[in-house]
Amino acid sequence: MNTATNPAFTPETTVGAIVAERPALARVFERLGIDYCCGGKQTLAAACARRNLDPHTVGLMLAATVTANDAPSEVDAAGMTLTQLADHIEQTHHVYVKSELPRLVEMAGRVAGKHGWRDGRLAEVHQTVIALAEEMFSHMRKEELILFPMVRQIEAGAADGSFHCGSIANPISVMEAEHESAGNAVARLRELTDGFTPDAESCNTHRALLAGLAEFEGDLHRHVHKENNILFPRALAQSGNN
Ligand SMILES: [Fe+2]
Ligand SMILES: [Fe+2]
């Protein structure tokens, strides 16, 4: 694939649209440090420029991944109805976050208590995971109790986007700001752990914590991508608020 000629992925295509069309390409962006979820509205050219990457090389990497994953393993979020997508997000990503974050908080506490003396950053890892868990639980509650029901009503034709709390654009912009904050917390965790990399002295709990955090980061990116780049813009468009 040549990014200059392929109509699907020109340098002007947004990275969020690329992942919406080809979910498997999220892994390429993750490897390159390109933010496709909160930063999903940036074009491929702009994203490459920010990371000092050659867009042609990135295009070749995307093409190679498309060929290798022609049947994408991720669900086709862009092909779902809004209700199906909201249900899917709740039943997969929200369920995962609810079960995984308490486990990560507990492990981060144990690792900080035992090994904090040799790596002072472990206390901040623990505090960051606690704050992230508090934020994510409150955030998902708002989506499940307020925003997703509004989205389902809009799709059912029972509402036009105006609710007692005003336009659906209001809760969406709050959710997007909270995604940014969660993304920053995960980026900070990556920094504090040298890219979730254990060292020779790391015990098994420390290794399990790092593996869990790395997996959490990938899941958060896919989760936020489905909301920011697919669910929210389509809900806004259907409510006439885009
Ligand atoms: Fe969510
Ligand atoms: Fe969210």
Side-chain angles (χ1 to χ4, degrees):
M1 179 185 68
N2 180 329
T3 51
T5 55
N6 187 308
F9 304 131
T10 69
E12 299 316 310
T13 312
T14 65
V15 293
I18 291 174
V19 176
E21 192 180 324
R22 291 281 186 173
L25 296 180
R27 300 205 190 288
V28 177
F29 290 142
E30 263 156 31
R31 269 206 311 278
L32 297 172
I34 288 178
D35 173 12
Y36 65 88
C37 43
C38 290
K41 293 180 182 123
Q42 61 185 333
T43 63
L44 181 60
C48 288
R50 275 182 92 162
R51 304 292 304 175
N52 248 331
L53 296 164
D54 169 32
H56 180 67
T57 310
V58 173
L60 293 176
M61 291 173 74
L62 293 173
T65 308
V66 166
T67 313
N69 289 281
D70 231 13
S73 55
E74 252 293 339
V75 296
D76 177 18
M80 292 181 180
T81 66
L82 294 181
T83 298
Q84 285 169 339
L85 183 52
D87 291 349
H88 160 77
I89 290 169
E90 280 188 13
Q91 288 158 11
T92 58
H93 298 292
H94 287 201
V95 166
Y96 165 78
V97 171
K98 285 174 195 169
S99 78
E100 188 62 0
L101 272 177
R103 191 181 80 92
L104 293 173
V105 167
E106 190 272 328
M107 279 197 293
R110 260 194 294 151
V111 171
K114 264 175 130 179
H115 304 290
W117 60 271
R118 87 178 166 83
D119 185 347
R121 299 175 300 174
L122 290 172
E124 190 180 339
V125 169
H126 184 208
Q127 290 313 314
T128 306
V129 178
I130 291 175
L132 176 64
E134 282 170 7
E135 259 182 64
M136 284 299 293
F137 274 78
S138 139
H139 174 81
M140 292 186 303
R141 215 166 21 247
K142 285 181 251 178
E143 287 180 341
E144 291 174 13
L145 298 179
I146 302 167
L147 182 56
F148 288 5
M150 290 166 90
V151 168
R152 293 185 186 101
Q153 281 184 52
I154 286 172
E155 183 163 66
D160 63 359
S162 319
F163 297 84
H164 66 276
C165 57
S167 155
I168 192 171
N170 299 333
I172 284 180
S173 66
V174 174
M175 293 303 106
E176 286 179 342
E178 291 180 0
H179 290 165
E180 188 95 36
S181 169
N184 290 340
V186 167
R188 180 68 184 142
L189 288 168
R190 173 177 271 283
E191 265 173 26
L192 289 167
T193 57
D194 303 321
F196 309 118
T197 312
D199 63 35
E201 291 172 60
S202 301
C203 68
N204 281 341
T205 308
H206 193 176
R207 285 169 191 274
L209 170 67
L210 295 171
L213 290 175
E215 189 186 286
F216 187 87
E217 179 192 55
D219 182 81
L220 184 72
H221 288 166
R222 290 189 291 279
H223 177 180
V224 169
H225 160 69
K226 287 172 192 169
E227 292 175 357
N228 276 21
N229 299 324
I230 303 175
L231 188 70
F232 296 170
R234 284 179 52 199
L236 280 169
Q238 286 197 23
S239 72
N241 265 292
N242 57 332

